Amino acid sequence: MASVWDTRSLHFGLLFGILLGFFAIANGLKLWPMPKSVNYGSKTLYWSTNMQLRKDGSNYADSSGILKDAFERMVNLIEADHIIEAKFANSSVLAGVNVVVHSPDDTLNFGIDESYTLNVPAKGSPLYAQIEANTIFGALHALETFSQLCYFNFTSKVVELHAAPWTIYDLPRFPYRGLLIDTSRHYLPVPVIKSVIDSMTYSKLNVLHWHIVDDQSFPIEIPSYPKLWDGAYSYTERYTINDAIDIVKYAERKGVNVLAEIDVPGHTLSWGVGYSSLWPSKSCREPLDVSNEFSFKVIDGILSDFSKVFKFKFVHLGGDEVNTSCWTTTPRIKQWLNNHHMNESDGYRYFVLRAQQIALSHGYDIINWEETFNNFGDKLSPRTVVHNWLGGGVAQKVVADGLRCIVSNQDKWYLDHLDATWEGFYTNEPLTNITNPAQQKLVLGGEVCMWGEHIDTSDIQQTIWPRAAAAAERLWTQFDKLAKNPTDVISRLAHFRCLLNQRGVQAAPLIGSGREVPSDPGSCYKQ
């Protein structure tokens, strides 16, 4: 009984904090993630029934329609299918948005300038919000921020923008702000993946890490080795190569890079369904056969095909949780190791390093899970990014050795850990104990991981959100603007969670563990 009351007290305290904070920001900042610099006034502007996009002074021609499509999406999100009835005859009508982009290029390169300035004047005729950015992708972030300033008035039936004039300057703290999805443990249809990409943009996440294949299934078409997707769960639970191209293009138009992962040499049981010679033996089926040249030819074929689809600077080669016992219990592989003066640990290192060389030959930088660094970090390519997941202190060691790092420590940033709270997601600091400025720059950012053992279309979004948004602010917002106590952002995060719901994203309540359901009837803002 005592534990029940302790839980109720905790929930009551959280609810009280949400209510207090919500009323405190009723006329203030509700933006998520928090920008670097914000100034605002007290005047209310009214949304025109015919909002216009202008590009006066811009060097960006928008021949691909990225800006036009983003503006139309923003208008639809703000109006939220409400019927806008009112007509105005005063000077407080916001006629549209003028977007000035300095670069004519819309190639989404890693580390691209994502900064922007957003000004919403309180006076003018006609009255236009002003966005200025060095790249189109900074402008996309500005449009998202602008959308969070606008609200539908249910009494007057108009969209209003409160607290003008606004002056916002913003840029990300880290260039890599990722979310992993796993389509091997459960297949995710293409529209579901696209909906995840849409939701990422609302909190300015910019890398979709696609863990495509694993032991359980190999759902993607590889033209160079067409039998690989015989390892899919079923005939329909597959992605054609054109599906992958479509997903990448869809994401890039929204400022999201797609990081493809093939996890080698472990996590590869499904590969042998189509090509059984990749298995050490029919009774011992992973890791991939280190003694067989065909293993490396298949990796080369996959990465050759990937290089035509996945244009991101990096490819993820996994390298984690490799149980090499099949190599030593299979006589011909054990003999091969002996002939090459290797033990099984040497074979593991040989495989990872050779896979790295193949990736480098296709123009990729490599990301590997941290076991590779923990076992033979001094042998890794200098173009390696070490992906920390097991625990603390690893990033500190990685950057001290001059390698780059991404942080995803499982105790804080694994979304499938339903006991990992949003508060933990918010307070997890990628630069813990890293004080040297040069080493800090080697931490590219972080990633929240939505592993798919218990995730499919039915529950993926409510397991991701709103906890991923808490990490998103940690990765975007400048350190001095982050709340020192997560209770200080409860109301703002609750507001963002409700905004996600209004946009059709099934974000779960803040109260309780991950993927929690509402405890009682009530307002979204109180959950």
Side-chain angles (χ1 to χ4, degrees), residues 43 54 89-95 121-128 130:
K43 186 173 182 179
R54 286 171 37 176
N90 62 55
S91 61
S92 298
V93 178
L94 193 60
K123 296 183 293 183
S125 183
L127 194 57
Y128 277 81
Q130 304 288 332

Side-chain angles (χ1 to χ4, degrees), residues 137-431:
F137 303 106
L140 298 186
H141 293 315
L143 289 172
E144 171 55 37
T145 299
F146 178 76
S147 74
Q148 295 185 26
L149 300 178
C150 302
Y151 306 91
F152 182 74
N153 185 319
F154 283 86
T155 302
S156 61
K157 311 297 191 300
V158 302
V159 174
E160 297 176 349
L161 186 149
H162 300 159
W166 287 87
T167 301
I168 296 174
Y169 173 67
D170 204 6
L171 77 168
R173 182 180 176 210
F174 292 102
Y176 187 108
R177 307 178 303 281
L179 166 66
L180 177 148
I181 60 170
D182 173 5
T183 59
S184 174
R185 276 53 179 254
H186 282 95
Y187 177 81
L188 298 172
V190 172
V192 174
I193 295 176
K194 289 182 175 181
S195 74
V196 171
I197 292 168
D198 289 342
S199 63
M200 291 172 64
T201 66
Y202 303 149
S203 60
K204 300 182 173 68
L205 293 176
N206 71 339
V207 178
L208 178 72
H209 176 175
W210 188 1
H211 186 87
I212 309 172
V213 304
D214 210 292
D215 285 335
Q216 292 81 2
S217 72
F218 197 113
I220 193 168
E221 178 185 18
I222 303 297
S224 295
Y225 290 93
K227 292 183 181 180
L228 280 171
W229 72 349
D230 289 357
Y233 283 126
S234 70
Y235 179 77
T236 60
E237 292 172 294
R238 290 172 162 178
Y239 307 99
T240 68
I241 202 71
N242 287 329
D243 289 336
I245 291 170
D246 180 45
I247 289 168
V248 169
K249 288 183 177 179
Y250 184 88
E252 288 179 345
R253 291 179 65 82
K254 299 191 174 186
V256 175
N257 276 299
V258 179
L259 168 67
E261 179 181 359
I262 56 167
D263 198 345
V264 296
H267 292 275
T268 50
L269 190 150
S270 64
W271 296 39
V273 176
Y275 297 96
S276 59
S277 63
L278 294 169
W279 291 332
S281 70
K282 289 189 177 180
S283 61
C284 208
R285 300 183 174 185
E286 65 174 331
L288 295 173
D289 186 348
V290 66
S291 72
N292 190 347
E293 279 298 303
F294 185 59
S295 297
F296 300 101
K297 288 180 180 178
V298 170
I299 292 172
D300 183 58
I302 292 171
L303 295 180
S304 175
D305 291 345
F306 274 13
S307 69
K308 302 176 182 67
V309 177
F310 299 99
K311 302 299 185 180
F312 193 32
K313 176 184 177 71
F314 305 101
V315 68
H316 205 304
L317 295 181
D320 63 314
E321 298 179 323
V322 180
N323 181 348
T324 56
S325 60
C326 279
W327 291 348
T328 54
T329 57
T330 304
R332 61 179 177 78
I333 300 178
K334 184 176 181 180
Q335 185 61 50
W336 183 90
L337 290 170
N338 290 337
N339 291 344
H340 290 81
H341 309 290
M342 294 184 192
N343 59 30
E344 54 191 298
S345 297
D346 296 328
Y348 169 42
R349 180 181 67 246
Y350 168 80
F351 200 112
V352 168
L353 297 183
R354 189 162 173 190
Q356 284 200 337
Q357 290 304 311
I358 295 170
L360 291 169
S361 74
H362 291 288
Y364 285 117
D365 282 15
I366 312 110
I367 302 176
N368 278 112
W369 294 109
E370 72 172 68
E371 287 95 324
T372 59
F373 175 80
N374 295 339
N375 284 280
F376 43 87
D378 60 333
K379 300 295 192 297
L380 294 172
S381 164
R383 287 170 61 183
T384 303
V385 178
V386 177
H387 198 160
N388 160 228
W389 73 279
L390 286 172
V394 175
Q396 187 178 358
K397 296 175 183 176
V398 170
V399 298
D401 283 357
L403 293 176
R404 294 166 292 176
C405 189
I406 295 167
V407 174
S408 293
N409 46 312
Q410 62 176 332
D411 58 328
K412 298 295 185 182
W413 277 359
Y414 267 31
L415 290 156
D416 56 309
H417 291 200
L418 299 184
D419 58 344
T421 65
W422 72 264
E423 293 93 337
F425 276 77
Y426 190 87
T427 56
N428 191 43
E429 173 51 48
L431 297 185

Side-chain angles (χ1 to χ4, degrees), residues 94-114:
L94 193 60
V97 181
N98 186 62
V99 180
V100 176
V101 176
H102 296 300
S103 172
D105 189 12
D106 56 16
T107 304
L108 182 60
N109 295 316
F110 178 70
I112 197 168
D113 190 331
E114 299 176 85

